[in-house]
Each structure stands twice: as structure tokens, then as C-alpha cells.
Amino acid sequence: MPAGDSFFIATPIFYVNDVPHIGHAYTEVAADVLARWHRQRGDDAWLLTGTDEHGQKILRTATSNGVTPQEWADKLVTESWKPLLQTVDIRNDDFIRTTDARHEKGVQTFLQKLYDDGFIYQGEFEGFYCVGCEEYKQPGDLVDGTGPFEGQQVCAIHSKPVELLQESNYFFRMSDFEQRLLDLYEQQPDFVQPDTVRNEIVQFVKQGLRDLSISRQSFDWGVKVPWDEKHVVYVWFDALLNYITAIGYGVDDDEFDRRWPAVQLVGKDIARFHAVIWPAMLMAAGLPVPKNVFGHGWLLVGGEKMSKSKLTGIAPQQITDVFGSDAFRYYFMRAITFGQDGNFSWEDISARYQAELANGFGNLASRVVAMITRYFDGTVPVAGELTDADLAVRETEVRVTAAADAAIDRFAINEALSSIWELVDTLNGYITEQEPWALAKDESKRERLATVLATSLRGLGTLTVLLSPFIPTATTTLWQSIGQGELTSQPVDRAPEWSSAPEVQPLAAGLFPRIEQPEPAK
Ligand code: ME8
């Protein structure tokens, strides 16, 4: 077991009504970068992801496709959701499905506890429900419909009519937790991040919380309420529990105590479920609340929130087929301020691929390895006396390592990459100024040539370690050429301390090959 602190990070579990798009991949990549960084700094990191398979939305999709919901979920998980993890190179430690027996059992244990402790009661529910959101709506959440829904009230998110529900349901006493939640936001200001999302959550809770209907009787695709099997558990109540059923809640106390609480990374659309309902559920069960709930922004395409239903959905593979998984990961982590919305465009990813990955980093790697191969037969040269210029490179390595590490602790993933890129630019500038190709022509400058190439290689190795959580494929290739041991075992927070192999191996091809056609054929 790693000696470091527990760093349990979870993505939302995604609905299997449809295939993944780049919005889902974005959350996966961000969580994976954070997990890889922490793992590589020696923390006891654990990345959980998975799928949300119960509820009316999945039931209806399956029915309209003529299969059972279980068949539908199995197909989508096998053919689309698990393959997504390969497409964007996610190194998850677990994958939970809400139809797993371990999950269903854990949900029942949790629910029974809350029932026994008096946090659940039976009552009549009447209200509006949006199946797209799987959420009960207040009148203020609805807007006037347009087109085919003119004259009706529709969900503001899905632009479709809501359904009137009238059922006898079980309720969770969420209103009991209003003050405790407000105290939590106050006492732990970084509980909900970023501030924009935090403010919205605080405002929402200040308006007063109602008890939450947590069971349904009109269909049976869900976890059965243990003391009354005519009811199934409300899909959100069921889904949120995945974060603890995956780590042994109720069955493996050691594992649970080792991992919980988690860092919850979610899109801001579902921050409310994670920052209000979820901590209230945990408080009722006497469990610690999550460490943080970070609500990231939306990917926009042509200025609109990308979504399948609005036909702006882009499959991650459309991008990785052209640019590869590293470029996908790099682009979304670099181009978008984490926590804010960001627009995707083919022109932008193409420009960054060329300028930053191919010309900036890839070219630097090829040049340094090629010059050591050419001028020193591949043997790593030993630096002589260091000049101010050489020392400045080393100072930059140390400075950007600390800055990137601190940025990761603030969830400022794009800032971590900007800091690391200072080293790319510094090294490229250094090589241009030192002109090793000119030094190589003069035998009396041999020692200076050795120092310049040793300094360049040192910087390149530091970059390789720092970039490995972001672009694991290219950095692994480069590491095989210059490093020793496993790249993933290099402590990222002490990246400048890496050791090079005695000899570099030539790089067979550029790390980021030229792209002939930056956009897929329409
Ligand atoms: O909400 N930009 O699942 P879901 C950025 N099952 N991220 C996006 C995005 C976009 N345009 N579109 C989707 C659910 N996402 C529930 C969660 S958790 C207990 C249950 C990402 O399939 C983002 O992470 O609708 C968002 O929160 C999530 O996908 C919604 O996925």
C-alpha cells in the first residue's frame, strides 16, 4: 500500500441511455489526470467511474428499442462506456454499475439504516417530474414550451414537457439538514468549488429545503425498498450511493475507512445533487461528507452546451482517430480553464496540436535525442561548469514543478499545464541561444556542447515526468528513450530528480506526427 494520503476521486456515473460524447470524456480525463498526478506523487490514489443504469429514462430507452433494461445496459456498457476508457486512456481502479449486486445490496443497507433511524417516512407526492433530468421540478424550474410544446410548461434543460406525478412515496427528511449544510459551506469554504458553483448552492439551500421523495411505485426498474418491495428507490438516491458501495460500505470497513471521503468531480449541471442531497444523506447515516465537490464547466460546441439530444454531440473517437488520445487529453485540459465553460472547435485543437505538441514539445524531444545520438553516439554527456543560462534552466525545472503541484491541489489543471509549458518554452529558447549545432563544429567547444546537451536532456526528462499524467502515451515512448525504470514510478512532485539512462535510444518517429487532414470527413 502506498504510504501517502488517501486520494479517492470519483467521476459521476453516467446514464447508459445513450453513447458517450466528449463531455463525458472531459470529466473522465480531468479525474484521470488528477488521479495519475496524486498516484505519482505517492498518494494512495483511487479512481472510480461507472454507469447509472436504473430509472425511467433507461427503462424507456430500452423499451423503445425492444429489449429489457438489463440487456440495454449490458450492451451499452460493453460496447460504448467501457471502451470510452481506452479511447481516452483512463487508468481507473474500479468501474461500478448500479446493477452490480454489491451496489444494490449496499443501497438497501443504507436505506434500511436511515429508515430504522427515523429519517424516512411515507407520504403523498404530487408534483412535476422531468424524466430527462430524472428530477422533481418546482414551478420556478419550468419555462414556456415552444414549437410542438407551445402552450405547455417544459423543463428548462430538456425543453420537453414534464410529467405530473401523484403517488404514495417514501420521503427522506432532507429539510432537517438545511442548517447543517449551511454550516458546512461556511466552515469548509472549499467544500464546493469553484466559487460560482458554491454561491449558487448556498443560495439554493438558503431558500429552504423540502423533504425528498426517494421511492417510486409506478415501475420496477430499480433497487427494491427493503421493507416495502412494491417501491423502487429513486434513481438519484440509488446512484449517489455508488461512491460508497464501491469501496465496501457495510461489508468491508477497512477498505471503506481507508478510502472515504472522496473528491467528487462532476459537471456543474449535477453539482446540486452532489453538494446538497448527497452530504445530507451522509449526515443522516452518520458518515463523513465528501472532501470536495468540484463542479466543472460545460463543453460548448458553436456556443451551445454540447448534447446528444440537441445533435451537437461529438464522439470522443472522432477526435482521437485524427489526433490521438494524448492530444485529446492535452487539448481539453489546456484550452479550458477548469471550472469554466469552454468552446470546442476543430480549428483550435488543430492549431494547438501543431504549435504546442508537435512543434513545442515533440520537436524539442526529437532535437535533444537526435543531437546526443549524433554528437555523442547516444552516450549521455556529463555537464562541465554551469553558466547562468544553464542554471536558469534548472531553476525553471524546480519552480514549475512546485507551481504545477500546487495548481493540481487547487484543481487548476490548466494552470498546471501552463506552468509546465514554461519549461518547454525555456528549453526551446535555451537551445536556440546556445546553438549546440554551432558548438559541435568546433572541437575546442566540446565541453560546452556536453554541458548544453546534458542540461537540455535534464530539462526534457523533468518535462517527461511532469507531463506523464497528461499525455501518458507520448511520455512513455520518450521515457523509453531517455529514462530508467518505470515512468509512472517517478515522483512527479520531485520531477527534476529523475535519472537518465547512460545512453539515449533514438526515437523511431516524431511523438506527434503531422496531421494530413485535421477534421474528419463530413
Ligand atoms: O447526470 N460538458 O449522468 P449523465 C461537460 N447519471 N461535461 C459534460 C457535458 C458537457 N457538455 N455533458 C455531460 C448523470 N457532461 C447522472 C449522474 S452521479 C451519482 C449520477 C458530463 O450521463 C458532466 O460530468 O447525464 C456531467 O455532470 C455528466 O456528464 C452528466 O452525465
Side-chain angles (χ1 to χ4, degrees), residues 173-185:
R173 294 190 191 280
M174 195 156 73
S175 56
D176 285 7
F177 295 92
E178 199 176 299
Q179 193 51 48
R180 280 184 68 186
L181 286 168
L182 290 171
D183 292 346
L184 168 68
Y185 309 141

Side-chain angles (χ1 to χ4, degrees), residues 4-21:
D5 297 339
S6 169
F7 181 77
F8 171 29
I9 181 161
T11 70
I13 48 171
F14 302 107
Y15 287 128
V16 292
N17 61 312
D18 210 339
V19 296
H21 57 57

Side-chain angles (χ1 to χ4, degrees), residues 12-15 21 23-24 26-27 52 236 239-240 242-243 266-267 269-270 274 296-299 305-306:
I13 48 171
F14 302 107
Y15 287 128
H21 57 57
H24 304 112
Y26 178 64
T27 314
D52 192 353
W236 266 102
L240 286 163
N242 89 85
Y243 304 123
V266 300
D269 51 335
I270 57 171
H274 287 81
H296 68 63
W298 284 338
L299 294 193
K305 182 187 179 207
M306 196 206 37

Side-chain angles (χ1 to χ4, degrees), residues 308-381:
K308 278 271 169 211
S309 53
K310 294 197 173 147
L311 298 178
T312 47
I314 298 172
Q317 213 170 335
Q318 280 177 266
I319 297 177
T320 57
D321 279 352
V322 178
F323 296 100
S325 58
D326 276 351
F328 184 103
R329 296 168 61 98
Y330 173 77
Y331 170 71
F332 285 107
M333 294 302 105
R334 176 79 198 260
I336 299 171
T337 300
F338 200 57
Q340 293 181 13
D341 294 349
N343 208 54
F344 167 79
S345 81
W346 288 98
E347 291 73 21
D348 195 21
I349 188 171
S350 204
R352 282 190 183 266
Y353 179 91
Q354 203 48 46
E356 293 160 21
L357 290 176
N359 297 344
F361 176 59
N363 211 11
L364 170 70
S366 312
R367 286 206 293 174
V368 172
V369 173
M371 285 192 283
I372 295 175
T373 308
R374 187 170 332 134
Y375 303 140
F376 291 91
D377 259 346
T379 302
V380 172

